[in-house]
Amino acid sequence: MGYGIAASLLRAGHIVHGFDVMESAVTRFQAEGGAAGALDDVVSDLAGAVVVVLNAAQTEDVLFGANGLAPRLPRGAVIMACATVPPEFAREMAGRCAEYGVHYLDAPISGGSVKAGLGQLSAMASGTPEAFASAKPILDATAETVFELGDAAGAGSAMKAVNQLLAGVHIATMAEAMTFGMTQGVKPETFVEVISKCAGTSWMLENRAPHIVAGDYTPHSSVDIWPKDLGIVLDIAKSAKFSAPITAAALQQFLAASGSGLGREDDAAVAKVYARNAGITLPGDD
């Protein structure tokens, strides 16, 4: 998703530097028009930074680690933080950034790698009016829908947790329903054709079920995303003394998939856990 965001910003006419732990991604981006230059050489001139990483620990490292951005960005620059993190963490990061005169926009995103590349993400954002104003060129280039959820960090991450609860449960439930149907003679392609036009459908079903039909688990969103994201949901639920049993059940299926070596496959691969337990064969596995 980070690469897609960078590409969308470039397409909108911005000067964009891309940095990644995979050097091949940086080389590819520069070949497509991304600006050259080491981070140390350009950070003091940046108007903004979009941080698209896996979790809170990585976000904090990018902002305040050994080569952290926040102390080195110019005053008035904005950091748009897109990872799924606990709301309290987002509030903490906003406070620490403010100490350096840097705006922090709590802006988790939804839409996957395809919509990121098209500049059609949904952003669940919260932050000060100044943070929104500074991030507007970024949001205009990368998101088709921006939900402005409040004037302080944390609200965006809270909404993303709600979204991830539903999204993770929907993927796991889709896999359960499809493989259940297979035990009754319902072919996966028939499942997609029929259920996508019936009340039982969901965006996740319509997006992920075709991956199973095709036997293609190229990771647009990997299995290993969900132990982290649903874990965050359950941590928040625990702090609120809120029971979330359906979320907990879905989490166990993703943990089983990850423990089976499927962590880097597309999250639709959670269906393989059900198939293995039921003794059925998914498309592409025969």
Side-chain angles (χ1 to χ4, degrees), residues 171-193 195 205 208-214 217 268 271 274 280 282-283:
I171 294 169
T173 305
M174 172 278 297
E176 184 170 309
M178 177 182 282
T179 49
F180 166 67
M182 291 175 69
T183 69
Q184 304 305 305
V186 177
K187 295 180 179 179
E189 57 269 28
T190 304
F191 170 89
V192 174
E193 178 185 1
I195 300 301
L205 184 151
R208 300 302 205 271
H211 299 180
I212 302 172
V213 172
Y217 298 96
Y274 289 98
I280 58 179
L282 295 173

Side-chain angles (χ1 to χ4, degrees), residues 62-144:
V62 170
L63 299 187
F64 297 105
N67 297 302
L69 291 175
R72 299 191 291 160
L73 287 168
R75 294 184 68 86
V78 63
I79 290 170
M80 178 170 150
C82 299
T84 302
V85 300
E88 183 54 41
F89 173 84
R91 288 189 283 268
E92 178 189 347
M93 291 298 101
R96 291 175 66 181
C97 285
E99 294 175 5
Y100 295 97
V102 172
H103 304 301
Y104 182 96
L105 191 68
D106 176 26
I109 50 179
S110 182
S113 60
V114 174
K115 285 198 171 185
L118 296 172
Q120 297 177 352
L121 290 169
S122 293
M124 292 157 270
S126 62
T128 64
E130 293 80 8
F132 272 106
S134 296
K136 188 176 187 302
I138 300 172
L139 293 168
D140 287 347
T142 61
E144 65 177 355

Side-chain angles (χ1 to χ4, degrees), residues 42 54 178:
V42 304
L54 181 63
M178 177 182 282

Side-chain angles (χ1 to χ4, degrees), residues 237 241-245:
K241 296 182 173 58
F242 179 84
S243 176

